[in-house]
Amino acid sequence: MTKDKEPVVRGFHVVCIMAIIVGAAIQFSDESEYLVNMSKANLTHVPKGLPPKTKVLDMSQNYISELQIPDVRFLSGLTVLRLSHNRIRQLDFSVFKFNQDLEYLDLSHNQLRKISCHPIVSLKHLDLSFNDFDALPICKEFSNFTQLNFLGLSATKLQLLDLLPVAHLHLNYLLLDLRSYYVKEHDTERLQILNTKILHLVFHPNSLFSVQVNISVNTLGCLQLTNIKLNDENCQVLIKFLSKLIRGSTLMNITLNHLEVTWKCLVGVFQFLWPKPVEYLNVYKLTIVESIDEEDFTYSQTTLKALKIEHIRNRVYLFSQTALYTVFSEMNIMTLTISDTPFIHMLCPQSPSTFKFLNFTQNVFTDSIFQNCSTLVKLETLILQKNGLKDLFKVGLMTKDMPSLETLDVSLNSLKSDQHEENCTWAENIVMLNLSSNILTDSVFRCLPPRIKVLDLHKNKIKTIPKRIMKLEALQELNVAFNSLTDLPGCGTLSSLSVLIIDHNSISHPSANFFQSCQKIRSIKAGNNPFQCTCELREFTKNLGPLSSEVLEGWPDSYKCDYPESYKGTPLKDFHVSQLSCNPALLIATIGTIVLVLAVTVTFLCIYLDVPWYLRMASQWTQTRRRARNTPLEELQRTLQFHAFISYSEHDSAWVKNELVPCLEKEDVQICLHERNFVPGKSIVENIINCIEKSYKSIFVLSPNFVQSEWCHYELYFAHHKLFCEGSDNLILILLEPIPHNSIPSKYHKLRALMKQRTYLEWPKEKGKHGLFWANIRAAFNMKLALVTENDDVENLK
Ligand SMILES: *[C@@H]1O[C@H](CO)[C@@H](O)[C@H](O)[C@H]1NC(C)=O
Ligand SMILES: *[C@@H]1O[C@H](CO)[C@@H](O)[C@H](O)[C@H]1NC(C)=O
């Protein structure tokens, strides 16, 4: 984001870096396929047996001291050869005469003193810098290197005609290592005109700058100087050197690396360059020495667009801060970067300033920076990353008088938001605010610029996004990654939200209605949260639907279950719970349905198959059998003459004679029937009693007819009486036809009671059921009873 706000600075990079990339491009082509990396392998010789197809061979940082034809001749496809940081002392370029494709040759940082030449016309990158050459190692064959882009050289002395063979080449980058260069007394050396876009000169790191060479360069776009040590006395040497190089030049970029300088000289160099055709000035690794005093600076018309100073070390301990900062704060340029310095402050410009872009990353600025400063009227971007800011309220206050401010980056500070949030003031136009890596809490949402579009709050201490926050209707991108949030926010007050970054929080059940609330969401990054793989989560992923991979950034890899334990580490996409177990209403409905179906089935069985009847019959049968087994046989045999007495209504006699009697007699059951066995001369009642007394069981055939018959009731009465007297279970009730309960006259309470107990056998209408019915009847007589003869009985009666 900040880079986008730095168009001018970017322009510089394009010019200077493109030139380098041309060389680098060769370096990386096809590397993966035929790359042999033998860097740092303690080699003293080029090893035998390299793959003949090798294209890229890296043998840098070894102890190789020589290179011969047999070492490389069979590598016919070799395009890149890195031999930097070895111990090669001399080289005959004809060793490469069989390597027709060689484009990149790095021999820097060896001990080369001598080369013998041979034209390698394919060469694009040749680095011979940082060697022990005396004169520039250029031979006339170099003039054929028409493809050459990069040339690195080193020398201890320069001569006018040294560069002649390469003067006509159109180089991109010329690196000249002059570390061992020594000055001849009062003798200004000259180098002839050459064509290069970038000229990089490296001087001795520890000697005062003393190069007196007069180099003229055509088409120079970038000048880089490395290792410049200046004091007040030799400051002019550099200025003179620069003035000759810049003379007649078009606009250019100047970069100074490793500059050790007095404050007075530094200001002098700036003052010298101010009216010159320089657009971008970069200083990397600046050390200020001796003293810092107030220096006059005339801010004349300048073409300078950007000044960038990175990494300042100050070896002056007592000085006026104002003297130091005023030079920078009053600069009439658009872009200023001062980063990685021990600066504790920056002054507010005295008059309306031209600054549009200020980058003060990694200094030690405090909350007092730019307080009540109303001259930064054009400032659009302010970066105060990695400083000592503490109070968010004050940061807001600082921006109050910056009417053009759109982008503010105060990340990596120690900002807190716990006071007076309600009255926060912000520049009206801020659209991008970077508050990441601070110690802000939930209350930050009450102290934000009202028109904010992009808000970065990652790596803070936010636990919730409060419901009651100011309306942030313009907010489109919100980054709250690496906080302690437990849920996704609703978009009630964030109506324009389209990008949400909320990974690495504590979200276990993201609320499913997020997507209803946040209609405009285009992208959400919510991975690496401790998801609880439960039903709620299922709702959430379901709401995503097929959009998962488009909307959810990092899907599916960074979305994993954290709980329950059995699912830990399972990707969310593989987590499935059934619809049923997640929906209580559905669950109840399903159980209800099952119960209903069962009930219907049971009812069906009862109605159409008469299951209860079967059950009842079966239970009677088992009971009868049990009782029969329990009754001692001898006791029964004493008095009995018949197995059964049958009592029935005249109206049912057809059934009794055709069905019941034949069936029983088939089983050898002796039956006492009144028309057959009643003794003449005795009263009916006597006969009945007699019959019942002499029978093992009494069978009553119940039907509405039975109820109407008075005699039948007598019979039942006696039989029941016997039941109570003897305690034996002698009654078998057969319900031939259903008897409506209320049709039984109330005086026959015995019958009523028996009917109520429902201990009767029902005569089934369906033929299929008759078998079981008879089996039940038979079970009641399942015994071997030896009966006394009728004669004995007559005797007994007497
Ligand atoms: C905010 O700053 C941090 C760290 O300084 C950086 O990584 C991040 O990309 C910035 N955010 C935006 C939206 O530019
Ligand atoms: C090279 O030699 C050093 C010192 O003898 C040793 O520590 C290192 O492991 C060696 N490296 C390789 C790649 O053999």
Side-chain angles (χ1 to χ4, degrees), residues 38-43 62-63:
M38 307 195 91
S39 170
K40 293 186 195 170
N42 294 346
L43 300 176
N62 282 296
Y63 306 105

Side-chain angles (χ1 to χ4, degrees), residues 456-667:
D456 192 339
L457 274 167
H458 82 266
K459 289 204 177 139
N460 274 286
K461 306 239 176 298
I462 301 169
K463 292 205 178 77
T464 50
I465 297 179
K467 291 269 175 298
R468 196 182 60 85
I469 61 174
M470 50 192 302
K471 277 208 184 305
L472 297 172
E473 280 163 343
L475 190 64
Q476 291 166 3
E477 284 186 42
L478 176 61
N479 184 345
V480 280
F482 294 95
N483 278 284
S484 310
L485 288 159
T486 52
D487 199 2
L488 299 173
C491 290
T493 45
L494 314 172
S495 51
S496 305
L497 198 65
S498 69
V499 176
L500 176 65
I501 303 171
I502 195 163
D503 53 317
H504 292 95
N505 273 279
S506 309
I507 301 173
S508 50
H509 329 75
S511 38
N513 61 10
F514 172 78
F515 291 97
Q516 273 101 61
S517 155
C518 303
Q519 293 283 341
K520 293 195 179 154
I521 275 290
R522 250 184 19 240
S523 157
I524 163 167
K525 186 173 179 189
N528 296 298
N529 273 295
F531 293 113
Q532 289 209 13
C533 287
T534 57
C535 292
E536 278 173 67
L537 196 77
R538 186 180 174 281
E539 284 302 297
F540 174 75
T541 41
K542 199 183 74 193
N543 282 4
L544 279 169
L547 289 175
S548 319
S549 51
E550 276 171 52
V551 177
L552 269 196
E553 244 189 89
W555 181 268
D557 295 344
S558 46
Y559 296 77
K560 296 199 173 130
C561 301
D562 189 62
Y563 182 89
E565 207 60 35
S566 54
Y567 279 109
K568 202 172 177 117
T570 308
L572 249 54
K573 86 173 153 60
D574 298 332
F575 167 71
H576 303 289
V577 261
S578 67
Q579 173 87 22
L580 192 61
S581 53
C582 284
N583 189 337
L586 193 68
L587 189 65
I588 289 168
T590 311
I591 293 175
T593 312
I594 293 173
V595 168
L596 197 68
V597 167
L598 267 175
V600 168
T601 314
V602 167
T603 314
F604 175 84
L605 286 176
C606 291
I607 293 175
Y608 289 93
L609 303 176
D610 220 352
V611 170
W613 185 87
Y614 280 105
L615 290 176
R616 240 176 12 247
M617 294 303 262
S619 95
Q620 294 242 335
W621 186 65
T622 46
Q623 275 177 25
T624 318
R625 296 212 37 169
R626 202 181 58 234
R627 273 195 231 110
R629 242 179 276 126
N630 290 347
T631 319
L633 210 57
E634 311 82 54
E635 195 185 312
L636 288 172
Q637 284 171 345
R638 255 187 294 121
T639 53
L640 299 182
Q641 212 168 11
F642 303 101
H643 287 123
F645 159 72
I646 303 178
S647 164
Y648 58 94
S649 150
E650 243 350 277
H651 298 277
D652 300 326
S653 64
W655 181 79
V656 173
K657 282 176 187 150
N658 299 334
E659 302 267 1
L660 183 60
V661 173
C663 176
L664 289 177
E665 287 186 335
K666 207 163 65 195
E667 296 289 316

Side-chain angles (χ1 to χ4, degrees), residues 6 9 12-13 16-17 223-228 254-260 280-287 307-313 337 339-340:
E6 211 177 352
V9 176
F12 157 74
H13 285 296
C16 282
I17 291 172
L223 176 66
Q224 286 194 45
L225 305 179
T226 299
N227 299 334
I228 306 161
I254 295 183
T255 301
L256 307 173
N257 300 307
H258 277 268
L259 176 60
E260 188 181 316
Y280 299 96
L281 176 58
N282 306 302
V283 181
Y284 299 113
K285 297 202 178 171
L286 170 67
T287 308
L307 170 64
K308 181 182 203 172
I309 307 179
E310 276 183 10
H311 191 87
I312 301 183
R313 289 291 159 264
T337 300
S339 71
D340 190 8

Side-chain angles (χ1 to χ4, degrees), residues 366-385:
T366 61
D367 291 330
S368 61
I369 184 76
F370 295 142
Q371 289 294 332
N372 299 315
C373 177
S374 54
T375 47
L376 292 166
V377 286
K378 292 189 175 164
L379 190 63
E380 291 170 3
T381 303
L382 176 58
I383 301 172
L384 289 167
Q385 225 178 74

